[in-house]
Amino acid sequence: MYRMLTEIGGDAAAFGHFGATAGYALAARRAMHEFHTGPDTWKHIAVGQRRWANLNPRAVMHDKPMTYEEYYNARWLVEPFRLPDNCLVNDGGRACIITSVERARDLRHPLVTIAGMGQHNPSVDLQQATYLAGPTGARQAGETAFAMAGVTTRDIDACEIYDCFTYTVEITLQDYGFFGPGEGEEWFSGGTIEPEGRMPVNTSGGQLSEAYHMGLTPLTEGVMQLMGRCGERQLGPATNTKEPEIIVCSDNGGILQCHSCYILRRW
Amino acid sequence: MAYNKPLPKINADTKEFWEGCKEHVIRVQKCGDCGLVRWPPSFICPQCHSRKTDWIASTGKGSVYTFVVNHIAYHPAFQEDLPYVVAIVELNEGPHLITNIVGCAPSEVRCDMPVEVVWDDITNEFSLPKFRPVL
């Protein structure tokens, strides 16, 4: 661990800069300077996803509800991020089986297809990056995936977004075009992404509140929701949300250096 | 007491930079063809792929591009500094450097705030370029 922190980051360790929390916090702070965002926006993401985790018996945070007050009272790790702005550290595993539609038709589970995919990798070192407040790779990756699927944000029933940190969810949805720069706080307010909300996001609790399985946390949840295998947290009548046909999923790497977007569609 | 924080690791690319720091000068590379001023150092220009490279001295002035306040010590030697500020400073010459902001309270740091270099001579071999607000 010590070697990872001091040798991968080059000479940044000499200045006490270590790890992903600090890297994304640098991005989030620049965003706070460029448009209206910050903890008042991110609390909706942390608390909203926790409400989904409370419906998911496999979630690490299943039996730990969280209020806005508890979010604000949580300790700072690397300001502007508090503890609940960070994803979990956990053991576990996820798998996703991809095969042909023809083969999948003979299997017992409902069929989910990849309707579109896009990838964009700005790949600039954190120190020199000037896209930390967007547009990140999500903009181009999203445009590619949405065009391939022939859909717009208005067709999306739910989002499963790579959420290493709360800010990552905001900047990804912003770059996909769900809202304009700085409109996030208003867009998230009123339980938008929660159970019974009009645009459910990270319906397992995500990496903030279910479990960190890298890009497979959002991807497998999107597939499971479209298959109807999510029990108490199932989108549709069980959570007073729209029965999903189309879900957008994302993955992201480095400090916003690479981005993948997938549009999943029930067959 | 011996200095117990991680030290920079000199390599063929960064040697010139750290030797400059020892003399309290920030040296960065400038492309001999397209003129791009760049960091980190590299033997080829990322913009025009020229191998003609000059080293230039920065004025040591710039502004805070972004910053964070560390409230947790990922390395035990930084425990005594908490809370401390890590920032990306944009030099007036263009390149960004990862560094610390010193000489003011963490709550006083702002993005785009003008700053200037202040040298921290940590060992006989190394001086770290840190930055303080321009008054």
Side-chain angles (χ1 to χ4, degrees), chain A residues 2 5-7 11-18 21-22 25-26 29-30 33-34 76-80 126-130 132, chain B residues 3 6 8-9 18 39-40 65-72 74-75 78 84 86 88 95-100 111-112 128-129:
Chain A
Y2 176 79
L5 288 173
T6 56
E7 295 196 7
D11 292 333
F15 298 95
H17 178 74
F18 304 99
T21 302
L26 283 166
R29 173 67 72 181
R30 183 67 197 182
H33 180 67
E34 293 194 10
W76 294 113
L77 288 186
V78 183
E79 199 180 335
L126 169 70
Q127 282 186 53
Q128 305 308 325
T130 51
L132 300 176
Chain B
Y3 188 78
K9 293 179 181 66
W18 289 114
W39 177 265
Y65 181 72
T66 187
F67 70 98
V68 295
V69 184
N70 282 264
H71 293 266
I72 178 173
Y74 292 100
H75 183 293
F78 287 92
Y84 67 93
V86 169
I88 296 174
H96 289 190
L97 294 182
I98 205 147
T99 182
N100 299 121
C111 289
D112 289 349
L128 297 181

Short mmCIF file of all heavy atoms in Angstrom, two decimals, chain A residues 2 5-7 11-18 21-22 25-26 29-30 33-34 76-80 126-130 132, chain B residues 3 6 8-9 18 39-40 65-72 74-75 78 84 86 88 95-100 111-112 128-129:
data_model
loop_
_atom_site.label_atom_id
_atom_site.label_comp_id
_atom_site.label_asym_id
_atom_site.label_seq_id
_atom_site.Cartn_x
_atom_site.Cartn_y
_atom_site.Cartn_z
N TYR A 2 1.91 1.24 0.86
CA TYR A 2 2.80 2.40 0.93
C TYR A 2 3.48 2.62 -0.42
O TYR A 2 3.57 3.72 -0.93
CB TYR A 2 3.87 2.16 2.02
CG TYR A 2 4.89 3.27 2.09
CD1 TYR A 2 4.58 4.47 2.73
CD2 TYR A 2 6.14 3.13 1.49
CE1 TYR A 2 5.50 5.50 2.77
CE2 TYR A 2 7.07 4.15 1.53
CZ TYR A 2 6.74 5.33 2.18
OH TYR A 2 7.65 6.34 2.22
N LEU A 5 1.13 4.16 -2.91
CA LEU A 5 0.87 5.57 -2.68
C LEU A 5 2.06 6.46 -3.04
O LEU A 5 1.90 7.60 -3.43
CB LEU A 5 0.49 5.80 -1.21
CG LEU A 5 -0.89 5.30 -0.78
CD1 LEU A 5 -1.06 5.43 0.71
CD2 LEU A 5 -1.99 6.04 -1.51
N THR A 6 3.27 5.94 -2.87
CA THR A 6 4.43 6.81 -3.05
C THR A 6 5.10 6.65 -4.41
O THR A 6 5.83 7.52 -4.84
CB THR A 6 5.50 6.54 -1.97
OG1 THR A 6 5.84 5.16 -2.00
CG2 THR A 6 5.02 6.93 -0.60
N GLU A 7 4.89 5.53 -5.09
CA GLU A 7 5.63 5.31 -6.34
C GLU A 7 4.79 5.52 -7.60
O GLU A 7 5.31 5.93 -8.61
CB GLU A 7 6.26 3.92 -6.34
CG GLU A 7 7.31 3.83 -5.24
CD GLU A 7 8.24 2.65 -5.38
OE1 GLU A 7 8.16 1.96 -6.41
OE2 GLU A 7 9.02 2.43 -4.45
N ASP A 11 6.25 12.28 -8.11
CA ASP A 11 6.75 13.09 -7.01
C ASP A 11 5.66 13.80 -6.22
O ASP A 11 5.95 14.58 -5.30
CB ASP A 11 7.78 14.09 -7.54
CG ASP A 11 9.04 13.37 -8.01
OD1 ASP A 11 9.33 12.28 -7.48
OD2 ASP A 11 9.73 13.89 -8.91
N ALA A 12 4.39 13.54 -6.56
CA ALA A 12 3.30 14.17 -5.82
C ALA A 12 3.34 13.80 -4.34
O ALA A 12 2.94 14.59 -3.48
CB ALA A 12 1.95 13.77 -6.43
N ALA A 13 3.86 12.59 -4.05
CA ALA A 13 3.93 12.14 -2.65
C ALA A 13 4.80 13.06 -1.80
O ALA A 13 4.58 13.20 -0.60
CB ALA A 13 4.45 10.71 -2.58
N ALA A 14 5.79 13.70 -2.41
CA ALA A 14 6.66 14.60 -1.66
C ALA A 14 5.87 15.77 -1.08
O ALA A 14 6.27 16.38 -0.10
CB ALA A 14 7.78 15.11 -2.56
N PHE A 15 4.74 16.10 -1.73
CA PHE A 15 3.89 17.21 -1.27
C PHE A 15 2.69 16.71 -0.46
O PHE A 15 1.78 17.47 -0.15
CB PHE A 15 3.40 18.03 -2.48
CG PHE A 15 4.53 18.66 -3.25
CD1 PHE A 15 5.07 18.03 -4.37
CD2 PHE A 15 5.08 19.86 -2.84
CE1 PHE A 15 6.13 18.60 -5.08
CE2 PHE A 15 6.13 20.44 -3.54
CZ PHE A 15 6.66 19.80 -4.66
N GLY A 16 2.68 15.40 -0.18
CA GLY A 16 1.57 14.85 0.61
C GLY A 16 0.32 14.62 -0.19
O GLY A 16 -0.78 14.60 0.37
N HIS A 17 0.48 14.43 -1.51
CA HIS A 17 -0.69 14.13 -2.35
C HIS A 17 -0.71 12.64 -2.63
O HIS A 17 0.20 12.10 -3.24
CB HIS A 17 -0.64 14.91 -3.67
CG HIS A 17 -1.78 14.58 -4.57
ND1 HIS A 17 -3.06 15.03 -4.33
CD2 HIS A 17 -1.86 13.81 -5.69
CE1 HIS A 17 -3.87 14.57 -5.27
NE2 HIS A 17 -3.16 13.82 -6.11
N PHE A 18 -1.78 11.98 -2.16
CA PHE A 18 -1.89 10.53 -2.31
C PHE A 18 -3.31 10.15 -2.72
O PHE A 18 -4.28 10.64 -2.16
CB PHE A 18 -1.63 9.83 -0.96
CG PHE A 18 -0.32 10.16 -0.32
CD1 PHE A 18 -0.25 11.10 0.69
CD2 PHE A 18 0.84 9.51 -0.72
CE1 PHE A 18 0.96 11.39 1.31
CE2 PHE A 18 2.05 9.80 -0.12
CZ PHE A 18 2.11 10.74 0.90
N THR A 21 -9.04 9.72 -3.66
CA THR A 21 -9.92 10.70 -3.00
C THR A 21 -9.39 12.12 -3.23
O THR A 21 -10.13 13.02 -3.63
CB THR A 21 -10.01 10.42 -1.49
OG1 THR A 21 -10.49 9.10 -1.30
CG2 THR A 21 -10.96 11.40 -0.81
N ALA A 22 -8.08 12.29 -3.02
CA ALA A 22 -7.48 13.63 -3.21
C ALA A 22 -7.53 14.04 -4.68
O ALA A 22 -7.74 15.22 -4.99
CB ALA A 22 -6.05 13.63 -2.69
N ALA A 25 -11.01 15.01 -5.46
CA ALA A 25 -11.32 16.23 -4.71
C ALA A 25 -10.76 17.45 -5.42
O ALA A 25 -11.38 18.52 -5.44
CB ALA A 25 -10.78 16.12 -3.28
N LEU A 26 -9.58 17.30 -6.05
CA LEU A 26 -9.02 18.40 -6.84
C LEU A 26 -9.96 18.74 -8.01
O LEU A 26 -10.19 19.91 -8.32
CB LEU A 26 -7.63 18.03 -7.38
CG LEU A 26 -6.47 18.10 -6.38
CD1 LEU A 26 -5.24 17.38 -6.95
CD2 LEU A 26 -6.12 19.54 -6.01
N ARG A 29 -13.17 20.43 -6.58
CA ARG A 29 -12.94 21.82 -6.15
C ARG A 29 -12.91 22.76 -7.36
O ARG A 29 -13.46 23.87 -7.30
CB ARG A 29 -11.63 21.92 -5.38
CG ARG A 29 -11.20 23.32 -5.04
CD ARG A 29 -12.12 24.00 -4.04
NE ARG A 29 -11.94 23.42 -2.73
CZ ARG A 29 -12.64 23.80 -1.65
NH1 ARG A 29 -13.55 24.76 -1.74
NH2 ARG A 29 -12.43 23.23 -0.48
N ARG A 30 -12.30 22.33 -8.43
CA ARG A 30 -12.29 23.18 -9.64
C ARG A 30 -13.73 23.35 -10.16
O ARG A 30 -14.10 24.44 -10.60
CB ARG A 30 -11.38 22.56 -10.71
CG ARG A 30 -11.26 23.40 -11.96
CD ARG A 30 -10.53 24.72 -11.70
NE ARG A 30 -10.76 25.67 -12.78
CZ ARG A 30 -10.23 26.88 -12.86
NH1 ARG A 30 -9.43 27.32 -11.90
NH2 ARG A 30 -10.50 27.68 -13.85
N HIS A 33 -15.54 25.96 -8.46
CA HIS A 33 -15.12 27.30 -8.88
C HIS A 33 -15.78 27.68 -10.21
O HIS A 33 -16.09 28.85 -10.45
CB HIS A 33 -13.60 27.32 -9.03
CG HIS A 33 -13.03 28.64 -9.46
ND1 HIS A 33 -13.08 29.76 -8.66
CD2 HIS A 33 -12.43 29.01 -10.61
CE1 HIS A 33 -12.52 30.78 -9.30
NE2 HIS A 33 -12.13 30.35 -10.48
N GLU A 34 -16.01 26.68 -11.07
CA GLU A 34 -16.50 26.99 -12.43
C GLU A 34 -18.02 27.03 -12.53
O GLU A 34 -18.56 27.69 -13.41
CB GLU A 34 -15.92 25.98 -13.43
CG GLU A 34 -14.41 26.15 -13.58
CD GLU A 34 -13.84 25.42 -14.79
OE1 GLU A 34 -14.61 24.94 -15.64
OE2 GLU A 34 -12.60 25.34 -14.87
N TRP A 76 -14.47 15.20 7.42
CA TRP A 76 -13.76 15.45 6.17
C TRP A 76 -12.68 14.40 5.98
O TRP A 76 -12.00 14.04 6.94
CB TRP A 76 -13.06 16.81 6.19
CG TRP A 76 -13.89 18.03 6.25
CD1 TRP A 76 -13.97 18.92 7.30
CD2 TRP A 76 -14.73 18.56 5.22
NE1 TRP A 76 -14.81 19.95 6.97
CE2 TRP A 76 -15.30 19.76 5.70
CE3 TRP A 76 -15.07 18.14 3.94
CZ2 TRP A 76 -16.18 20.54 4.96
CZ3 TRP A 76 -15.95 18.90 3.19
CH2 TRP A 76 -16.50 20.09 3.69
N LEU A 77 -12.50 13.92 4.76
CA LEU A 77 -11.28 13.15 4.45
C LEU A 77 -10.34 14.10 3.73
O LEU A 77 -9.34 14.55 4.26
CB LEU A 77 -11.61 11.93 3.59
CG LEU A 77 -12.35 10.80 4.29
CD1 LEU A 77 -12.47 9.61 3.38
CD2 LEU A 77 -11.67 10.40 5.59
N VAL A 78 -10.67 14.39 2.47
CA VAL A 78 -9.94 15.41 1.73
C VAL A 78 -10.99 16.41 1.25
O VAL A 78 -11.77 16.12 0.35
CB VAL A 78 -9.16 14.78 0.54
CG1 VAL A 78 -8.36 15.87 -0.17
CG2 VAL A 78 -8.23 13.67 1.03
N GLU A 79 -11.01 17.54 1.90
CA GLU A 79 -12.01 18.58 1.63
C GLU A 79 -11.86 19.05 0.18
O GLU A 79 -10.72 19.31 -0.25
CB GLU A 79 -11.74 19.74 2.60
CG GLU A 79 -12.88 20.68 2.80
CD GLU A 79 -12.48 21.78 3.80
OE1 GLU A 79 -11.57 21.54 4.64
OE2 GLU A 79 -13.06 22.86 3.72
N PRO A 80 -12.92 19.10 -0.62
CA PRO A 80 -14.34 19.16 -0.23
C PRO A 80 -15.08 17.83 -0.09
O PRO A 80 -16.31 17.83 -0.12
CB PRO A 80 -14.94 19.96 -1.40
CG PRO A 80 -14.13 19.56 -2.59
CD PRO A 80 -12.73 19.36 -2.06
N LEU A 126 -3.41 14.12 -14.36
CA LEU A 126 -4.21 14.96 -13.46
C LEU A 126 -3.66 16.37 -13.33
O LEU A 126 -4.39 17.35 -13.39
CB LEU A 126 -4.28 14.31 -12.07
CG LEU A 126 -4.86 15.18 -10.95
CD1 LEU A 126 -6.35 15.40 -11.15
CD2 LEU A 126 -4.60 14.53 -9.59
N GLN A 127 -2.35 16.47 -13.16
CA GLN A 127 -1.75 17.80 -12.95
C GLN A 127 -2.03 18.75 -14.10
O GLN A 127 -2.17 19.95 -13.91
CB GLN A 127 -0.23 17.67 -12.82
CG GLN A 127 0.23 17.20 -11.47
CD GLN A 127 1.73 17.25 -11.39
OE1 GLN A 127 2.34 18.26 -11.65
NE2 GLN A 127 2.34 16.14 -11.01
N GLN A 128 -2.04 18.23 -15.34
CA GLN A 128 -2.17 19.10 -16.51
C GLN A 128 -3.60 19.17 -17.04
O GLN A 128 -3.88 19.93 -17.97
CB GLN A 128 -1.23 18.62 -17.63
CG GLN A 128 0.22 18.49 -17.21
CD GLN A 128 0.76 19.76 -16.55
OE1 GLN A 128 0.41 20.87 -16.92
NE2 GLN A 128 1.60 19.59 -15.54
N ALA A 129 -4.50 18.36 -16.47
CA ALA A 129 -5.86 18.29 -17.02
C ALA A 129 -6.60 19.60 -16.82
O ALA A 129 -6.52 20.22 -15.76
CB ALA A 129 -6.62 17.15 -16.35
N THR A 130 -7.32 20.02 -17.85
CA THR A 130 -8.14 21.24 -17.74
C THR A 130 -9.61 20.90 -17.98
O THR A 130 -10.42 21.79 -18.19
CB THR A 130 -7.68 22.30 -18.76
OG1 THR A 130 -7.61 21.70 -20.05
CG2 THR A 130 -6.31 22.85 -18.39
N LEU A 132 -11.31 18.90 -15.73
CA LEU A 132 -11.77 18.29 -14.48
C LEU A 132 -13.19 18.71 -14.12
O LEU A 132 -13.91 17.99 -13.44
CB LEU A 132 -10.82 18.66 -13.33
CG LEU A 132 -9.35 18.23 -13.52
CD1 LEU A 132 -8.50 18.75 -12.38
CD2 LEU A 132 -9.26 16.72 -13.62
N TYR B 3 14.53 13.92 8.15
CA TYR B 3 13.34 14.18 7.32
C TYR B 3 12.69 12.83 6.96
O TYR B 3 13.35 11.95 6.39
CB TYR B 3 13.76 14.91 6.04
CG TYR B 3 12.59 15.40 5.22
CD1 TYR B 3 11.88 16.54 5.59
CD2 TYR B 3 12.19 14.70 4.08
CE1 TYR B 3 10.81 16.98 4.83
CE2 TYR B 3 11.12 15.14 3.32
CZ TYR B 3 10.43 16.28 3.71
OH TYR B 3 9.36 16.73 2.97
N PRO B 6 8.18 11.29 2.10
CA PRO B 6 8.71 10.76 0.83
C PRO B 6 9.51 11.84 0.10
O PRO B 6 9.11 13.01 0.07
CB PRO B 6 7.44 10.41 0.03
CG PRO B 6 6.36 10.29 1.05
CD PRO B 6 6.71 11.22 2.17
N PRO B 8 11.41 13.25 -3.52
CA PRO B 8 11.30 13.11 -4.98
C PRO B 8 12.27 12.04 -5.47
O PRO B 8 13.30 11.79 -4.83
CB PRO B 8 11.70 14.49 -5.50
CG PRO B 8 11.51 15.42 -4.34
CD PRO B 8 11.80 14.60 -3.11
N LYS B 9 11.93 11.42 -6.59
CA LYS B 9 12.81 10.41 -7.18
C LYS B 9 13.34 10.97 -8.50
O LYS B 9 12.60 11.15 -9.44
CB LYS B 9 12.04 9.12 -7.42
CG LYS B 9 11.61 8.46 -6.11
CD LYS B 9 10.82 7.19 -6.39
CE LYS B 9 10.36 6.55 -5.09
NZ LYS B 9 9.38 7.41 -4.37
N TRP B 18 14.94 19.09 -10.64
CA TRP B 18 15.29 19.04 -9.22
C TRP B 18 16.63 19.72 -8.94
O TRP B 18 16.84 20.27 -7.86
CB TRP B 18 15.27 17.59 -8.71
CG TRP B 18 13.85 17.08 -8.61
CD1 TRP B 18 13.29 16.08 -9.35
CD2 TRP B 18 12.81 17.58 -7.76
NE1 TRP B 18 11.96 15.93 -9.02
CE2 TRP B 18 11.63 16.83 -8.04
CE3 TRP B 18 12.73 18.59 -6.79
CZ2 TRP B 18 10.42 17.04 -7.39
CZ3 TRP B 18 11.51 18.81 -6.14
CH2 TRP B 18 10.39 18.04 -6.44
N TRP B 39 5.22 20.62 -18.84
CA TRP B 39 5.50 19.83 -17.64
C TRP B 39 4.53 18.67 -17.65
O TRP B 39 3.38 18.89 -18.04
CB TRP B 39 5.34 20.69 -16.37
CG TRP B 39 5.57 19.88 -15.13
CD1 TRP B 39 4.63 19.27 -14.36
CD2 TRP B 39 6.83 19.54 -14.57
NE1 TRP B 39 5.23 18.58 -13.35
CE2 TRP B 39 6.58 18.72 -13.46
CE3 TRP B 39 8.15 19.83 -14.90
CZ2 TRP B 39 7.59 18.18 -12.67
CZ3 TRP B 39 9.15 19.30 -14.12
CH2 TRP B 39 8.88 18.48 -13.00
N PRO B 40 4.87 17.48 -17.25
CA PRO B 40 6.19 17.05 -16.82
C PRO B 40 7.19 16.99 -17.98
O PRO B 40 6.78 16.99 -19.13
CB PRO B 40 5.92 15.66 -16.24
CG PRO B 40 4.71 15.18 -16.97
CD PRO B 40 3.88 16.40 -17.24
N TYR B 65 -4.91 26.74 -9.56
CA TYR B 65 -5.90 26.19 -10.49
C TYR B 65 -6.97 25.46 -9.69
O TYR B 65 -8.16 25.66 -9.88
CB TYR B 65 -5.23 25.26 -11.50
CG TYR B 65 -6.21 24.68 -12.49
CD1 TYR B 65 -6.76 25.47 -13.49
CD2 TYR B 65 -6.61 23.34 -12.42
CE1 TYR B 65 -7.67 24.95 -14.39
CE2 TYR B 65 -7.51 22.82 -13.32
CZ TYR B 65 -8.05 23.64 -14.31
OH TYR B 65 -8.97 23.11 -15.19
N THR B 66 -6.53 24.59 -8.79
CA THR B 66 -7.46 23.94 -7.88
C THR B 66 -6.69 23.49 -6.64
O THR B 66 -5.45 23.49 -6.64
CB THR B 66 -8.20 22.77 -8.55
OG1 THR B 66 -9.22 22.28 -7.66
CG2 THR B 66 -7.27 21.63 -8.91
N PHE B 67 -7.41 23.13 -5.58
CA PHE B 67 -6.73 22.75 -4.33
C PHE B 67 -7.66 21.88 -3.50
O PHE B 67 -8.87 21.86 -3.73
CB PHE B 67 -6.34 24.00 -3.52
CG PHE B 67 -7.53 24.73 -2.95
CD1 PHE B 67 -7.92 24.53 -1.63
CD2 PHE B 67 -8.28 25.59 -3.73
CE1 PHE B 67 -9.03 25.19 -1.10
CE2 PHE B 67 -9.39 26.25 -3.21
CZ PHE B 67 -9.76 26.05 -1.90
N VAL B 68 -7.06 21.15 -2.55
CA VAL B 68 -7.83 20.39 -1.57
C VAL B 68 -7.22 20.61 -0.20
O VAL B 68 -6.07 21.06 -0.09
CB VAL B 68 -7.83 18.88 -1.88
CG1 VAL B 68 -8.54 18.59 -3.20
CG2 VAL B 68 -6.42 18.30 -1.91
N VAL B 69 -7.99 20.30 0.83
CA VAL B 69 -7.48 20.36 2.19
C VAL B 69 -7.47 18.94 2.75
O VAL B 69 -8.52 18.31 2.87
CB VAL B 69 -8.34 21.27 3.09
CG1 VAL B 69 -7.70 21.38 4.48
CG2 VAL B 69 -8.50 22.65 2.46
N ASN B 70 -6.28 18.43 3.02
CA ASN B 70 -6.17 17.07 3.56
C ASN B 70 -6.43 17.07 5.06
O ASN B 70 -5.77 17.79 5.81
CB ASN B 70 -4.76 16.52 3.30
CG ASN B 70 -4.59 16.04 1.87
OD1 ASN B 70 -4.73 14.86 1.57
ND2 ASN B 70 -4.30 16.97 0.97
N HIS B 71 -7.42 16.25 5.45
CA HIS B 71 -7.74 16.09 6.88
C HIS B 71 -7.35 14.71 7.36
O HIS B 71 -7.69 14.32 8.47
CB HIS B 71 -9.23 16.32 7.11
CG HIS B 71 -9.66 17.74 6.87
ND1 HIS B 71 -9.73 18.68 7.88
CD2 HIS B 71 -10.01 18.38 5.73
CE1 HIS B 71 -10.14 19.83 7.36
NE2 HIS B 71 -10.30 19.68 6.06
N ILE B 72 -6.72 13.93 6.50
CA ILE B 72 -6.33 12.57 6.84
C ILE B 72 -4.89 12.39 6.34
O ILE B 72 -4.55 12.86 5.26
CB ILE B 72 -7.29 11.54 6.23
CG1 ILE B 72 -6.87 10.12 6.55
CG2 ILE B 72 -7.45 11.73 4.73
CD1 ILE B 72 -7.89 9.07 6.11
N TYR B 74 -2.45 10.04 4.85
CA TYR B 74 -2.27 8.73 4.20
C TYR B 74 -0.85 8.22 4.46
O TYR B 74 -0.58 7.04 4.28
CB TYR B 74 -2.53 8.83 2.70
CG TYR B 74 -3.98 9.10 2.37
CD1 TYR B 74 -4.43 10.38 2.04
CD2 TYR B 74 -4.91 8.05 2.39
CE1 TYR B 74 -5.78 10.60 1.75
CE2 TYR B 74 -6.25 8.28 2.09
CZ TYR B 74 -6.67 9.56 1.76
OH TYR B 74 -7.98 9.79 1.48
N HIS B 75 0.04 9.12 4.81
CA HIS B 75 1.42 8.77 5.18
C HIS B 75 1.63 9.37 6.57
O HIS B 75 1.33 10.55 6.79
CB HIS B 75 2.39 9.40 4.17
CG HIS B 75 3.82 9.06 4.41
ND1 HIS B 75 4.52 9.50 5.51
CD2 HIS B 75 4.70 8.31 3.69
CE1 HIS B 75 5.76 9.04 5.45
NE2 HIS B 75 5.89 8.32 4.36
N PHE B 78 2.84 12.99 7.57
CA PHE B 78 2.06 14.20 7.33
C PHE B 78 1.05 14.49 8.45
O PHE B 78 0.36 15.50 8.42
CB PHE B 78 1.33 14.10 5.98
CG PHE B 78 2.27 14.24 4.81
CD1 PHE B 78 2.84 13.13 4.22
CD2 PHE B 78 2.60 15.50 4.31
CE1 PHE B 78 3.74 13.24 3.16
CE2 PHE B 78 3.48 15.63 3.25
CZ PHE B 78 4.05 14.51 2.67
N TYR B 84 -3.63 20.21 5.85
CA TYR B 84 -2.70 20.89 4.95
C TYR B 84 -3.27 20.93 3.53
O TYR B 84 -4.11 20.11 3.16
CB TYR B 84 -1.32 20.23 4.98
CG TYR B 84 -1.25 18.83 4.43
CD1 TYR B 84 -0.91 18.62 3.09
CD2 TYR B 84 -1.51 17.72 5.23
CE1 TYR B 84 -0.83 17.33 2.57
CE2 TYR B 84 -1.44 16.42 4.71
CZ TYR B 84 -1.10 16.24 3.39
OH TYR B 84 -1.05 14.97 2.87
N VAL B 86 -3.00 20.75 -0.53
CA VAL B 86 -2.34 20.35 -1.77
C VAL B 86 -3.05 21.09 -2.90
O VAL B 86 -4.28 21.14 -2.93
CB VAL B 86 -2.40 18.83 -2.00
CG1 VAL B 86 -1.96 18.46 -3.42
CG2 VAL B 86 -1.53 18.10 -0.98
N ILE B 88 -2.94 22.41 -7.27
CA ILE B 88 -2.33 22.46 -8.60
C ILE B 88 -2.21 23.94 -8.93
O ILE B 88 -3.20 24.66 -8.96
CB ILE B 88 -3.19 21.73 -9.65
CG1 ILE B 88 -3.28 20.23 -9.32
CG2 ILE B 88 -2.61 21.94 -11.04
CD1 ILE B 88 -4.22 19.45 -10.22
N PRO B 95 2.60 25.76 -17.60
CA PRO B 95 2.46 24.43 -16.99
C PRO B 95 1.83 24.46 -15.60
O PRO B 95 1.90 25.48 -14.90
CB PRO B 95 3.90 23.93 -16.90
CG PRO B 95 4.66 24.70 -17.91
CD PRO B 95 4.00 26.05 -17.95
N HIS B 96 1.22 23.35 -15.23
CA HIS B 96 0.66 23.16 -13.89
C HIS B 96 1.63 22.33 -13.05
O HIS B 96 2.22 21.38 -13.56
CB HIS B 96 -0.66 22.39 -13.97
CG HIS B 96 -1.78 23.18 -14.56
ND1 HIS B 96 -3.09 22.72 -14.54
CD2 HIS B 96 -1.82 24.37 -15.18
CE1 HIS B 96 -3.88 23.61 -15.13
NE2 HIS B 96 -3.14 24.62 -15.53
N LEU B 97 1.77 22.69 -11.77
CA LEU B 97 2.59 21.92 -10.83
C LEU B 97 1.74 21.49 -9.65
O LEU B 97 0.93 22.27 -9.15
CB LEU B 97 3.74 22.77 -10.27
CG LEU B 97 4.85 23.27 -11.17
CD1 LEU B 97 5.85 24.04 -10.31
CD2 LEU B 97 5.54 22.11 -11.86
N ILE B 98 1.96 20.26 -9.19
CA ILE B 98 1.31 19.87 -7.93
C ILE B 98 2.22 20.31 -6.80
O ILE B 98 3.45 20.18 -6.89
CB ILE B 98 0.99 18.36 -7.91
CG1 ILE B 98 -0.18 18.10 -6.96
CG2 ILE B 98 2.18 17.52 -7.53
CD1 ILE B 98 -1.06 16.97 -7.37
N THR B 99 1.64 20.92 -5.76
CA THR B 99 2.45 21.59 -4.75
C THR B 99 1.62 21.78 -3.47
O THR B 99 0.53 21.23 -3.35
CB THR B 99 2.95 22.95 -5.30
OG1 THR B 99 3.79 23.57 -4.33
CG2 THR B 99 1.81 23.87 -5.65
N ASN B 100 2.17 22.53 -2.53
CA ASN B 100 1.44 22.91 -1.33
C ASN B 100 1.27 24.42 -1.30
O ASN B 100 2.12 25.15 -1.80
CB ASN B 100 2.19 22.50 -0.06
CG ASN B 100 2.42 21.01 0.04
OD1 ASN B 100 3.54 20.55 0.11
ND2 ASN B 100 1.35 20.24 0.02
N CYS B 111 -9.49 29.21 -5.62
CA CYS B 111 -9.07 28.98 -7.00
C CYS B 111 -8.79 30.33 -7.66
O CYS B 111 -9.48 31.32 -7.39
CB CYS B 111 -10.15 28.26 -7.79
SG CYS B 111 -10.37 26.54 -7.31
N ASP B 112 -7.80 30.35 -8.54
CA ASP B 112 -7.38 31.54 -9.29
C ASP B 112 -6.68 32.60 -8.43
O ASP B 112 -6.37 33.70 -8.91
CB ASP B 112 -8.55 32.19 -10.07
CG ASP B 112 -9.00 31.33 -11.25
OD1 ASP B 112 -8.29 30.35 -11.59
OD2 ASP B 112 -10.07 31.61 -11.83
N LEU B 128 11.84 21.87 -2.09
CA LEU B 128 10.51 21.72 -2.71
C LEU B 128 9.93 23.10 -3.02
O LEU B 128 9.90 23.97 -2.14
CB LEU B 128 9.55 20.99 -1.76
CG LEU B 128 9.87 19.54 -1.39
CD1 LEU B 128 8.76 18.99 -0.47
CD2 LEU B 128 10.03 18.65 -2.61
N PRO B 129 9.45 23.30 -4.27
CA PRO B 129 8.77 24.56 -4.59
C PRO B 129 7.35 24.55 -4.04
O PRO B 129 6.51 23.81 -4.53
CB PRO B 129 8.79 24.60 -6.12
CG PRO B 129 8.87 23.16 -6.54
CD PRO B 129 9.53 22.40 -5.41
#
